[in-house]
Amino acid sequence: MREVAILGIGQTPVGEHWDQSLKQIAAEAVRAVVQDAQIDQADGLFVGNMLSGLLDSQHDLGTFVAGQAGLRGIEAIKVDAACGSGGAACRAALMAVASSAMEAAIVVGVEKMTDRPGNEVTGALVTAADADFESALGMSFVAINALLMQAYMHAYGWPHADFAPFSINAHANAQHNPYARLREPITEKQYGQARMVADPINLLDASPIGDGAAAIVLVPAEVARRRTGERPIVTIAASTAASDSIAIHDRYNTLELAAARQSAERAYAQAGLTPDDIDVFELHDAFSIMAAMSLEAAGFAERGQGPRLGLDGQIGPNGKVPIATRGGLKARGHPVGATGVYQLVEVFQQLVGEAGATQVPSAKVGMAQSIGGSGAAVITHILRAE
Amino acid sequence: MREVAILGIGQTPVGEHWDQSLKQIAAEAVRAVVQDAQIDQADGLFVGNMLSGLLDSQHDLGTFVAGQAGLRGIEAIKVDAACGSGGAACRAALMAVASSAMEAAIVVGVEKMTDRPGNEVTGALVTAADADFESALGMSFVAINALLMQAYMHAYGWPHADFAPFSINAHANAQHNPYARLREPITEKQYGQARMVADPINLLDASPIGDGAAAIVLVPAEVARRRTGERPIVTIAASTAASDSIAIHDRYNTLELAAARQSAERAYAQAGLTPDDIDVFELHDAFSIMAAMSLEAAGFAERGQGPRLGLDGQIGPNGKVPIATRGGLKARGHPVGATGVYQLVEVFQQLVGEAGATQVPSAKVGMAQSIGGSGAAVITHILRAE
């Protein structure tokens, strides 16, 4: 399996882009990555997307985006692992380049969510849950996560206020990211007083949806190394995936993200690293409960101790485990199928020293974990700067 | 790039399976392929599917199917290239095994289409067309193909009756395939008198939708060769893909399937073969016009001469270019995201001599071409028996 590197990145701001269609947003990110990576051709386009069928009446999205991006003729597919689609598209592209089937692959994650009424979007998002046993009963996706958070708080005795650092850190970091959707800092008081969505999840526990696209270019590492640029070379030291039951009632342990743990453990083994070696961790903080559980699953906190690192002030850019360094899902925003690619773009920025005011000092190794559903499909990548 | 082989096949009958859900059908095919290939573990599950979001309210279908099939924990993704999803899922899995990321990958194509009213299914299928310029104007998918057929007949002077051999051959072959949906032979007279759907496409020009799932297992060729079974080893000699504009008005030449041609040409080059070497060709005969144009694109007929081989009696199992040997989309049925995998299952059957009454004599090399949209995304595989 030949080694693969990320040659460049591209992204659009996450927001409500009513003046741009799905394919226009995706093409903007593709054009940005082509310019950043300075490539003049690519062999494949891998699109990470969840909702184009439901919200945009469009399937065969790979081809649809290829046409708009000036890539007609290119091999193009869409990969769907719900909210983990971005990570899954990267992994599919990685295998294409690693297998030598392709010499350069463009990955673009894209979602267009704000053209439709909120209830329609909520109805679309819950297709990431189990259609037979969860959504069929009227559960929304936030309701499922609220049940998880209730159970977690009950089992481990955390009050709601102890989750505040996740949201405060995400918003603080997003201020400095021009691509983030929510760039206003928030206080502990605001967090405690935010409008309830599904008890105990309030508005500041939940990530906002949005329109957005992010892209990377993958090439063989040896090709990247031949470039004589200013940037360090960023290789993919590990790429893994695992799954769990979609329905949370069907898990062996509701309060453990088993697939996230398995995927992370395999990634550490593949890269020959431990959690201590990770300088920056872009996790899937769709809700603050997911941030807590992800930290545990990835080996950064003991079982039930997810909120501890935040309370100890260790999740900021200068902390022991910097997370959501560009705003995370919480404040950069969560255009679901695009999110996994935004995470890789942001880890890349950290490793090449382009993270500005939220730069993690001397970051050499970073991890991104893309999660579909409430921990059902998990894709983990570890990137390393040379 | 290490060589990959198909270790076994599985399929369910195509039909109206109101007693089975999407995941039950998929799991049935997965269980069948696990038994046929005699594997005791796999590293990945690649699901080819188009419409689970729209018709079944389910995303993250890879994980959803994995749970039902007893594969919880496995890496699982869904690949969407509209009606070409099955072929695209096979290609993604092939690259996973070729890259050494996986030692065994299960591919399952599945679609559940008959639980919903016909107009809803028609509305879902047209998401394979261009949402901005085709479906937005009220076009259905059959209408788009009817315009293509009108243009083709006008340009090259073929009367409608000359397309009859495609449907007659498909139905004749499907009689002997226990997994086919339409197992009744049809006559030229019936073809000519069939109810009009969208002029000039009548009911016997169009493939039926259906519920169904088909599966294959991919492993390194060296692993397959170590097996001491009765069957010949079937390797994947070529795997390629290409795209074209989704909207047919935007093609350089409306009457040429350029992506099908490019994909086929690359496949021949990859395998070191020519069209003359292909013993059996499972093409994407969603409509009889697509059969004609596919034969041209794949190099079996001159431009505008697609119907000629049928009129000359050369498309049956004993002809020069056997197509739709197990019924094709036309008569086996077209559960859209599953179809590309059914095609590979059927080519495999031909190459190992398990095609029964429609066995192509001494078939050693077979090709399957999976098409998304009206030629927008095309995936071609060439299989070879050792």
Side-chain angles (χ1 to χ4, degrees):
Chain A
M1 185 161 173
R2 68 175 174 177
E3 202 181 5
V4 174
I6 298 180
L7 198 58
I9 56 172
Q11 57 184 322
T12 74
V14 179
E16 299 194 20
H17 302 309
W18 294 1
D19 56 331
Q20 284 184 300
S21 73
L22 175 72
K23 68 182 177 187
Q24 287 175 319
I25 294 172
E28 182 181 326
V30 170
R31 281 193 299 271
V33 81
V34 165
Q35 185 168 14
D36 188 66
Q38 297 177 43
I39 54 168
D40 50 20
Q41 70 94 36
D43 303 310
L45 176 69
F46 293 78
V47 178
N49 172 271
M50 174 179 171
L51 298 171
S52 74
L54 285 167
L55 297 183
D56 306 282
S57 300
Q58 186 68 58
H59 275 97
D60 198 6
L61 192 66
T63 307
F64 193 66
V65 169
Q68 180 74 14
L71 298 169
R72 182 194 288 208
I74 198 169
E75 170 170 0
I77 62 165
K78 161 176 161 173
V79 175
D80 170 26
C83 330
S85 298
C90 293
R91 178 152 166 73
L94 170 90
M95 294 191 288
V97 176
S99 72
S100 303
M102 297 185 188
E103 292 303 308
I106 299 172
V107 184
V108 60
V110 62
E111 209 75 63
K112 181 85 182 94
M113 308 176 74
T114 70
D115 290 352
R116 301 298 183 121
N119 61 340
E120 198 177 319
V121 176
T122 301
L125 283 169
V126 81
T127 59
D130 189 305
D132 294 341
F133 293 109
E134 293 181 325
S135 44
L137 305 178
M139 301 271 280
S140 70
F141 206 67
V142 60
I144 292 169
N145 280 273
L147 291 176
L148 266 182
M149 192 167 180
Q150 288 278 19
Y152 185 93
M153 289 164 63
H154 175 75
Y156 301 116
W158 296 103
H160 178 260
D162 286 350
F163 293 84
F166 293 123
S167 301
I168 292 169
N169 171 64
H171 278 256
N173 295 339
Q175 283 182 87
H176 308 288
N177 178 4
Y179 300 99
R181 176 156 190 190
L182 302 178
R183 302 183 61 195
E184 312 79 30
I186 61 166
T187 64
E188 201 170 331
K189 189 177 168 194
Q190 285 173 311
Y191 175 81
Q193 293 177 347
R195 185 152 48 89
M196 190 57 69
V197 180
D199 192 8
I201 291 180
N202 72 26
L203 204 57
L204 290 177
D205 283 304
S207 58
I209 63 157
D211 308 328
I216 58 174
V217 166
L218 300 182
V219 296
E222 62 193 28
V223 171
R225 290 188 186 114
R226 282 202 297 270
R227 291 279 181 105
T228 54
E230 300 290 309
R231 277 178 178 164
I233 305 302
V234 176
T235 59
I236 298 182
S239 172
T240 66
S243 68
D244 199 349
S245 73
I246 293 188
I248 56 170
H249 69 259
D250 210 24
R251 307 257 166 98
Y252 298 128
N253 178 346
T254 308
L255 296 182
E256 189 205 26
L257 297 178
R261 179 178 51 73
Q262 284 165 26
S263 176
E265 284 174 356
R266 287 177 203 162
Y268 293 134
Q270 216 174 81
L273 299 172
T274 71
D276 286 343
D277 300 312
I278 305 297
D279 300 316
V280 53
F281 177 32
E282 290 301 333
L283 46 64
H284 190 88
D285 55 333
F287 301 98
S288 45
I289 179 63
M290 290 300 283
M293 292 175 70
S294 290
L295 282 170
E296 297 170 28
F300 295 107
E302 296 296 314
R303 176 88 55 94
Q305 298 301 307
R308 176 55 55 203
L309 280 165
L311 293 169
D312 290 348
Q314 295 300 327
I315 59 174
N318 296 298
K320 187 161 169 276
V321 186
I323 61 173
T325 64
R326 307 291 284 155
L329 281 62
K330 174 65 199 79
R332 175 239 300 127
H334 185 24
V336 290
T339 292
V341 189
Y342 273 101
Q343 293 177 312
L344 287 165
V345 162
E346 292 159 357
V347 170
F348 182 94
Q349 289 181 315
Q350 289 287 359
L351 300 188
V352 298
E354 296 176 4
T358 58
Q359 178 67 49
V360 172
S362 312
K364 295 290 175 210
V365 179
M367 184 158 82
Q369 194 168 59
S370 184
I371 298 187
S374 303
V378 183
I379 303 94
T380 306
H381 286 95
I382 296 178
L383 310 186
R384 185 158 32 197
E386 297 184 347
Chain B
M1 185 161 173
R2 67 176 175 177
E3 202 181 5
V4 174
I6 298 179
L7 198 57
I9 56 172
Q11 57 185 323
T12 74
V14 179
E16 299 194 19
H17 302 309
W18 295 2
D19 57 331
Q20 283 185 299
S21 72
L22 175 72
K23 67 182 177 187
Q24 288 174 319
I25 294 172
E28 182 180 326
V30 170
R31 282 193 300 271
V33 81
V34 164
Q35 186 167 13
D36 187 65
Q38 297 177 45
I39 55 169
D40 49 21
Q41 70 93 35
D43 303 310
L45 177 69
F46 293 78
V47 178
N49 172 271
M50 175 179 170
L51 297 171
S52 74
L54 286 166
L55 297 183
D56 305 282
S57 301
Q58 187 67 59
H59 275 95
D60 198 7
L61 192 66
T63 306
F64 193 65
V65 169
Q68 180 74 13
L71 298 170
R72 181 194 288 209
I74 198 170
E75 171 169 0
I77 62 167
K78 162 177 160 172
V79 175
D80 169 25
C83 330
S85 299
C90 294
R91 178 150 166 74
L94 169 91
M95 294 192 288
V97 176
S99 73
S100 303
M102 297 183 188
E103 293 302 308
I106 299 172
V107 184
V108 60
V110 62
E111 209 75 63
K112 180 86 182 90
M113 308 176 76
T114 70
D115 289 352
R116 300 299 182 118
N119 60 341
E120 198 176 320
V121 176
T122 300
L125 284 170
V126 82
T127 60
D130 188 306
D132 294 340
F133 294 108
E134 292 181 326
S135 43
L137 305 178
M139 301 270 280
S140 70
F141 206 67
V142 61
I144 292 169
N145 279 274
L147 290 176
L148 267 182
M149 192 167 181
Q150 288 277 19
Y152 185 93
M153 289 164 64
H154 175 75
Y156 300 116
W158 297 103
H160 179 260
D162 287 350
F163 293 84
F166 293 124
S167 301
I168 293 169
N169 170 65
H171 278 257
N173 294 339
Q175 283 181 87
H176 309 288
N177 178 4
Y179 300 100
R181 175 155 192 192
L182 302 178
R183 302 183 60 194
E184 312 80 29
I186 61 166
T187 63
E188 201 169 332
K189 188 176 171 195
Q190 285 172 311
Y191 175 80
Q193 293 177 347
R195 183 152 50 88
M196 190 56 69
V197 180
D199 192 8
I201 291 180
N202 71 27
L203 204 58
L204 290 178
D205 283 305
S207 58
I209 63 158
D211 308 328
I216 58 174
V217 166
L218 299 182
V219 296
E222 60 192 30
V223 171
R225 291 187 185 113
R226 282 203 297 269
R227 291 278 180 105
T228 54
E230 300 290 309
R231 277 178 178 163
I233 305 302
V234 176
T235 59
I236 299 183
S239 172
T240 66
S243 68
D244 199 349
S245 74
I246 293 187
I248 56 170
H249 68 259
D250 209 25
R251 306 256 167 98
Y252 298 128
N253 178 347
T254 308
L255 296 181
E256 188 205 27
L257 297 178
R261 179 178 50 74
Q262 284 165 24
S263 177
E265 284 174 356
R266 288 176 202 164
Y268 294 134
Q270 217 175 81
L273 298 172
T274 72
D276 286 343
D277 299 312
I278 305 297
D279 299 316
V280 53
F281 177 32
E282 290 301 334
L283 46 64
H284 189 88
D285 56 334
F287 301 98
S288 45
I289 179 63
M290 290 300 283
M293 292 175 69
S294 290
L295 283 170
E296 296 171 28
F300 295 106
E302 295 296 314
R303 175 87 54 93
Q305 298 302 308
R308 176 56 53 204
L309 280 164
L311 294 169
D312 290 347
Q314 295 299 328
I315 60 173
N318 296 298
K320 188 163 168 275
V321 185
I323 62 174
T325 64
R326 308 291 284 154
L329 281 63
K330 175 66 200 80
R332 175 239 299 127
H334 184 24
V336 290
T339 292
V341 188
Y342 274 101
Q343 292 176 312
L344 287 165
V345 162
E346 293 160 358
V347 171
F348 182 94
Q349 289 181 317
Q350 289 287 359
L351 300 188
V352 299
E354 296 176 4
T358 58
Q359 178 68 48
V360 173
S362 312
K364 295 290 176 211
V365 179
M367 183 159 82
Q369 194 168 59
S370 184
I371 298 187
S374 303
V378 183
I379 303 93
T380 306
H381 285 95
I382 296 178
L383 311 186
R384 183 157 34 197
E386 296 184 348

